[in-house]
Amino acid sequence: MPVTGRELRSTANGDGTLSLALIDVTLDDPAADEVIVRVEAAPINPSDLGLLLGPADIGSLRTGGTAERPEATFAIPPARMASMTSRLGQSLPVGNEGAGTVVAAGEGAQHLQGKRVGMLGGAMYADYRKLKLRDIVVLPDGASAADGASLFVNPLTALGFVETARMEGHKAIIHTAAASNLGQMLQKICLKDGVPLVNIVRSDEQAKMLRAIGATHALNSGDTDFPAQLVDAIVETGATVAFDAIGGGSLGSDIVQAMEQAASRTMTEYSRYGSNTFKQLYIYGALDLSPTTLNRLSFGFQWSVSGWLLTPFMGKAGADVVGRMRQRVLDELTTTFASHYSRVIGLAEALDPDVLRGYERKATGEKYLIDPTRG
Amino acid sequence: MPVTGRELRSTANGDGTLSLALIDVTLDDPAADEVIVRVEAAPINPSDLGLLLGPADIGSLRTGGTAERPEATFAIPPARMASMTSRLGQSLPVGNEGAGTVVAAGEGAQHLQGKRVGMLGGAMYADYRKLKLRDIVVLPDGASAADGASLFVNPLTALGFVETARMEGHKAIIHTAAASNLGQMLQKICLKDGVPLVNIVRSDEQAKMLRAIGATHALNSGDTDFPAQLVDAIVETGATVAFDAIGGGSLGSDIVQAMEQAASRTMTEYSRYGSNTFKQLYIYGALDLSPTTLNRLSFGFQWSVSGWLLTPFMGKAGADVVGRMRQRVLDELTTTFASHYSRVIGLAEALDPDVLRGYERKATGEKYLIDPTRG
């Protein structure tokens, strides 16, 4: 029996606007290796906002539609329309991951009927989602949908950072926007695995919170002596790789510069080409949409600044490593990989102006969970 | 018998000045595996200027000393003093490479007496240079000192670009400031090796000159439709790696963006993470000292911007590859790797204000050669 439900869609239009709407979608019966899941929890991650809102100007929000089928429209700043070309006119579903209950199962999947599962694969901001078996994971007994909603993006990203550092021979890690859910997971992983971590945050409260879960290095980038603190922490830990969620501005550049300053402390002879220490900055987020500024003259020549994204990382790491990572997430679901949500909203509420402005702020410590069963 | 001669020295001082001077240096008899070479030709490469003048403000030039022992002093802009810390107060010799005649040879090197050799190893802006045998190469019969003066830096760098591209699986290359001596060598190598090359220059004359030596793609970044031309050239060649001599500003960013635009032409489905095409920008020079600006939101996530430097590249490539590269330079010394000098100056002349301002401009097509035997 086909199932009909709502699905949140984002469309960038040729007239320079971006619109959000809920449309009705009907799912046919699942094939042999498929299930239909009633979505009960789906987080709003920063990586979802990129697709949901793109570079839209939130200040220009106009609302329409009805209470049950709300609509929201924004202006896209003209300078950012170039990056929209390849999605213009396409009604795109949103939501990378979620969790819920299997309400229909194909021939080969009858044993999953009624089970609670975690899901990966997009289009999670919806009442129902049809998925292949490879894209779901049965949750441990007793786990709630909220427990299993963020099983993939943050946990695998945090584990991916540590794997990347290992694969490339770095012995310690620097992380920015480190008080995030992802940042807390990374701190817990690093503690378990004995990998030194330098956390960079934007307030003393965030630094205190990280210390409370075991952080040795939690630096406030607002401190006047932050640059010196950072060099000291790098000398102490030997960090030569950084993962940066912010992207814009010069913080990433400041980190590479601090790594070079730390390296040059041990140099016995001047070289105009800088140290022999290879320094890697990975940009994995875009909390700041402004351009990245690299003051590279202070880096020497042994440096690299690169994009980091989970999917190609997993492709490179291979099935064995990814399998090990996924198992660890399940094993430590309610400890290392516990997520905290500051607010649970319904699907229609995601288009409410006040709610929308709330999750768009991407404030650290604030995280929204969509539960479509709330309406 | 010890030999005494002049040597050019550059010193960054704690008072915020940088001074150049000629000092007398006495070389003891060479050891068994050493020779003393009378320097007859040493090029002023952009990479030498970094050590010679560093970030000094050329407009602040003050001269002193005598005609035979001139001195020059400059102010270092305060903002750039941080990058000078590790060389403060050190009297540093300058000049990466050169050529000349062996005037004294150790026990195991008697066969080299009187031979003309190319040299690598710094301190070439001098009357005499003592070197290990591994740092010299006997020039082919009939080669002048000028022919052999630029045997290493530009030829090995140009070959290193092609080797890097091959090692990393790129099938075509983009090069900026491409009308330079190095750029011409790269074009000749790429023609011989069948590697498509997209040259970016700053004038129609430079583009014409490159076409005259066989370039298919020679784009003037000043053209109003340069961005579209660049995307077309990338689509045509499949270039996914660029070597950038400029470093500052946004040209490097524009190149990565053009690579992404070229890649997205073949995408059938929108992805907010951009294309799966990995795009690499290497910055190997600093013709523009200003910060690098990356408009990374148009890159997707599959990109890397890195420093490129000859010495670590050779370490990574290994002795076999480097041996093959060096042999090729000798084999094609007066063809592929011929250098052109717009002016030959004496050692003392290198400190003459007008001459100094001339080579400091780093104008494409202008290249200075120091011949210390001219005084």
Side-chain angles (χ1 to χ4, degrees):
Chain A
M1 253 184 28
V3 177
T4 298
R6 301 163 301 163
E7 188 170 284
L8 179 54
R9 294 291 183 88
S10 171
T11 310
N13 305 295
D15 65 357
T17 62
L18 184 139
S19 52
L20 304 181
L22 294 175
I23 65 158
D24 282 320
V25 171
T26 298
L27 304 176
D28 291 333
D29 287 344
D33 63 338
E34 291 180 339
V35 292
I36 291 177
V37 179
R38 182 180 64 230
V39 182
E40 294 158 355
I44 302 182
N45 287 317
S47 53
D48 296 309
L49 290 175
L51 182 55
L52 188 68
L53 301 175
D57 171 15
I58 298 305
S60 68
L61 170 61
R62 283 176 291 121
T63 54
T66 65
E68 285 197 348
R69 290 289 186 276
E71 291 171 19
T73 306
F74 313 83
I76 301 172
R80 290 179 176 163
M81 276 301 282
S83 65
M84 292 287 98
T85 315
S86 50
R87 61 170 284 190
L88 280 187
Q90 297 175 54
S91 167
L92 299 170
V94 192
N96 280 314
E97 63 184 341
T101 302
V102 175
V103 294
E107 265 179 44
Q110 285 299 322
H111 60 290
L112 295 172
Q113 187 75 44
K115 296 276 188 198
R116 185 158 274 164
V117 296
M119 310 178 272
L120 183 69
M124 294 297 164
Y125 299 165
D127 287 316
Y128 297 98
R129 184 71 171 86
K130 185 154 75 175
L131 287 157
K132 301 270 183 205
L133 297 188
R134 63 158 189 262
D135 293 325
I136 63 169
V137 171
V138 177
L139 297 182
D141 284 343
S144 68
D147 287 337
S150 296
L151 211 56
F152 296 95
V153 177
N154 279 341
L156 294 180
T157 298
L159 286 170
F161 291 172
V162 178
E163 292 288 343
T164 298
R166 275 199 201 108
M167 279 161 51
E168 297 177 359
H170 302 285
K171 63 180 193 181
I173 296 172
I174 298 174
H175 188 219
T176 69
S180 64
N181 267 328
L182 170 58
Q184 296 174 50
M185 290 178 192
L186 181 62
Q187 179 59 69
K188 290 175 190 169
I189 296 165
C190 285
L191 280 171
K192 279 209 171 195
D193 292 12
V195 176
L197 176 67
V198 178
N199 296 286
I200 298 175
V201 296
R202 282 170 286 190
S203 77
D204 289 338
E205 291 68 41
Q206 294 171 345
K208 205 192 250 176
M209 184 273 287
L210 283 168
R211 276 190 214 102
I213 63 167
T216 308
H217 301 281
L219 313 182
N220 180 351
S221 59
D223 286 354
T224 48
D225 64 341
F226 167 69
Q229 286 184 41
L230 182 56
V231 175
D232 287 343
I234 294 169
V235 168
E236 201 172 311
T237 57
T240 48
V241 65
F243 294 90
D244 176 34
I246 295 166
S250 67
L251 178 60
S253 179
D254 295 344
I255 292 170
V256 180
Q257 181 175 332
M259 288 176 180
E260 177 67 8
Q261 285 172 350
S264 68
R265 279 206 195 159
T266 61
M267 284 172 70
T268 52
E269 199 180 325
Y270 173 73
S271 162
R272 73 155 294 255
Y273 299 113
S275 77
N276 288 321
T277 301
F278 181 73
K279 302 161 292 290
Q280 174 71 57
L281 172 70
Y282 282 112
I283 298 178
Y284 75 94
L287 294 179
D288 180 343
L289 295 174
S290 70
T292 310
T293 300
L294 303 180
N295 297 304
R296 73 196 181 285
L297 297 184
S298 58
F299 293 0
F301 274 79
Q302 295 278 61
W303 59 274
S304 196
V305 177
S306 315
W308 194 98
L309 186 64
L310 182 57
T311 311
F313 161 74
M314 292 196 298
K316 211 160 125 187
D320 284 357
V321 172
V322 173
R324 175 162 51 75
M325 288 163 61
R326 284 173 73 145
Q327 188 55 50
R328 180 166 177 183
V329 177
L330 285 178
D331 292 346
E332 302 173 24
L333 185 59
T334 56
T335 53
T336 310
F337 300 108
S339 286
H340 306 282
Y341 304 98
S342 52
R343 187 158 175 191
V344 182
I345 59 176
L347 191 52
E349 262 181 294
L351 277 68
D352 178 275
D354 288 337
V355 175
L356 203 157
R357 281 189 281 263
Y359 60 73
E360 193 275 336
R361 266 200 310 272
K362 291 171 273 193
T364 305
E366 277 195 49
K367 188 156 193 106
Y368 284 58
L369 187 71
I370 295 177
D371 176 359
T373 67
R374 296 197 175 200
Chain B
M1 251 184 32
V3 177
T4 298
R6 301 163 302 164
E7 188 169 283
L8 179 54
R9 293 292 184 87
S10 171
T11 309
N13 305 295
D15 65 357
T17 61
L18 183 141
S19 51
L20 304 181
L22 294 175
I23 65 155
D24 283 318
V25 171
T26 298
L27 304 176
D28 291 333
D29 288 343
D33 63 339
E34 290 180 339
V35 292
I36 291 177
V37 179
R38 181 181 63 229
V39 182
E40 293 157 354
I44 303 181
N45 287 316
S47 54
D48 295 310
L49 290 175
L51 182 56
L52 187 69
L53 301 175
D57 171 14
I58 298 305
S60 69
L61 169 61
R62 284 177 291 121
T63 54
T66 65
E68 285 197 349
R69 290 289 185 277
E71 290 172 20
T73 306
F74 313 83
I76 300 172
R80 292 178 175 163
M81 276 301 283
S83 64
M84 294 287 96
T85 315
S86 52
R87 63 171 283 191
L88 280 187
Q90 298 173 53
S91 167
L92 299 170
V94 193
N96 280 313
E97 62 184 342
T101 303
V102 174
V103 294
E107 263 179 46
Q110 284 300 319
H111 60 292
L112 294 173
Q113 186 75 44
K115 295 277 186 198
R116 186 158 274 165
V117 295
M119 310 178 272
L120 183 69
M124 294 296 163
Y125 300 165
D127 287 315
Y128 297 99
R129 183 70 171 85
K130 185 153 76 174
L131 287 157
K132 300 271 182 203
L133 298 188
R134 63 159 189 263
D135 293 325
I136 63 168
V137 171
V138 176
L139 297 182
D141 284 344
S144 68
D147 288 337
S150 295
L151 211 56
F152 296 94
V153 177
N154 279 341
L156 294 179
T157 298
L159 285 170
F161 290 172
V162 178
E163 292 288 344
T164 297
R166 274 200 202 107
M167 279 161 50
E168 297 177 2
H170 303 283
K171 64 180 194 181
I173 296 171
I174 298 174
H175 187 220
T176 69
S180 64
N181 267 329
L182 170 58
Q184 295 176 49
M185 288 177 193
L186 181 62
Q187 180 58 71
K188 290 175 190 168
I189 296 166
C190 285
L191 280 171
K192 278 208 171 195
D193 291 11
V195 177
L197 176 67
V198 178
N199 296 286
I200 299 176
V201 296
R202 283 172 285 191
S203 76
D204 288 337
E205 290 67 43
Q206 292 171 346
K208 206 192 246 177
M209 183 273 285
L210 283 169
R211 278 191 212 102
I213 64 167
T216 308
H217 302 281
L219 313 182
N220 180 351
S221 59
D223 286 354
T224 47
D225 64 340
F226 166 70
Q229 287 184 40
L230 182 57
V231 175
D232 287 343
I234 293 169
V235 168
E236 201 172 312
T237 57
T240 48
V241 64
F243 294 90
D244 176 32
I246 295 166
S250 68
L251 178 61
S253 179
D254 295 343
I255 292 170
V256 180
Q257 182 174 331
M259 288 176 180
E260 178 66 7
Q261 286 173 351
S264 68
R265 280 205 195 161
T266 61
M267 284 172 71
T268 52
E269 199 180 327
Y270 173 73
S271 163
R272 74 155 293 258
Y273 300 113
S275 76
N276 289 320
T277 300
F278 181 73
K279 302 160 292 291
Q280 173 73 56
L281 171 71
Y282 282 113
I283 298 178
Y284 75 93
L287 293 179
D288 180 344
L289 296 175
S290 71
T292 309
T293 300
L294 302 180
N295 297 303
R296 72 195 182 287
L297 297 185
S298 57
F299 294 180
F301 274 79
Q302 294 277 61
W303 59 272
S304 196
V305 177
S306 315
W308 195 97
L309 187 63
L310 182 57
T311 310
F313 161 74
M314 292 196 299
K316 211 161 126 186
D320 283 357
V321 171
V322 173
R324 174 162 52 75
M325 288 163 60
R326 284 174 71 144
Q327 187 56 50
R328 181 167 176 181
V329 177
L330 285 179
D331 292 345
E332 303 173 22
L333 184 60
T334 56
T335 55
T336 310
F337 301 107
S339 286
H340 305 283
Y341 304 99
S342 53
R343 188 157 174 190
V344 182
I345 58 176
L347 191 53
E349 263 181 294
L351 278 68
D352 177 276
D354 288 336
V355 174
L356 202 157
R357 280 189 281 261
Y359 61 71
E360 193 276 334
R361 267 198 309 272
K362 292 172 273 194
T364 306
E366 278 195 48
K367 188 156 192 106
Y368 285 59
L369 187 71
I370 295 178
D371 175 359
T373 66
R374 293 196 176 200

